[in-house]
Amino acid sequence: MQSLRQFVISTLPRAVTGRYLSTTAALNMPIKEGDKLPDVDLFEGNPHNKVSTQALFGKGKSVIFAVPGAFTPTCSEKHAPGYIQNFAQLKEKGVQTVACIAVNDPFVMDAWGKSMGAETKVRMLADTAAAFTKKIDMAIDLTEILGGVRSRRYAMVVEDGVVKSIQAEPDNTGLACSAATDVMKLL
Ligand code: BEZ
């Protein structure tokens, strides 16, 4: 029988499984090693709780991973759980903040985090209007399957607000280079 993951993949347009569609590619380049992270407000828990990327990632070592959507199969079964399970090892390697970013509303991000036991480990951050995701040129148009612009799947190591490494998945349903175990090799 077809698994849920296989079913989802079989329904995905080419934009998800292969080439991505950036809404901003004509204007920008995806953020890269050595770039300063833009200062953008994200939301944690509810729409009134703004947290700026500068306040979150401006000092110390952070790991950010981004996903196309809360509660989607790869994100929920593999990507986010890997960071939760390896949280202690990430801390041992000097990481102060581990954060998950998605273009979702903060209530959904909060509920998703709680459903996986992310509390006290991974900061579940909502980039509600995709402001951060568009600024770093990681937006992908998933209107057909998820209802709008979402984030590509990637992982970044940030030190004192500057990108030290970034791995973006070529296939947004796959997990070839942005898993916690991949990031840990770079720390
Ligand atoms: C996922 O399985 O994580 C996924 C599903 C649909 C669109 C993007 C990602």
Side-chain angles (χ1 to χ4, degrees), residues 5 8-9 11-12 16 67-69 71-76 142 145-146 151 153 172-174:
R5 180 175 151 71
V8 170
I9 290 169
T11 64
L12 299 179
V16 183
V67 299
F71 293 105
T72 56
T74 306
C75 311
S76 295
L142 293 181
I145 50 165
L146 297 180
S151 175
R153 189 186 301 285
N172 289 289
T173 60

Side-chain angles (χ1 to χ4, degrees), residues 19-70:
R19 289 179 309 121
Y20 70 95
L21 299 176
S22 169
T23 53
T24 54
L27 299 172
N28 301 316
M29 291 280 286
I31 197 162
K32 59 185 186 314
E33 197 181 309
D35 286 349
K36 196 174 176 331
L37 215 58
D39 189 17
V40 178
D41 285 333
L42 300 170
F43 300 87
E44 191 171 30
N46 67 69
H48 306 292
N49 192 28
K50 267 187 203 171
V51 279
S52 74
T53 52
Q54 170 63 26
L56 284 161
F57 311 120
K59 284 219 160 37
K61 198 187 282 187
S62 308
V63 170
I64 301 170
F65 67 99
V67 299

Side-chain angles (χ1 to χ4, degrees), residues 59-63 87 90-91 94-98 121 160:
K59 284 219 160 37
K61 198 187 282 187
S62 308
V63 170
F87 180 73
L90 288 161
K91 290 292 256 187
V95 175
Q96 279 144 357
T97 305
V98 181
K121 294 179 177 163
D160 296 331

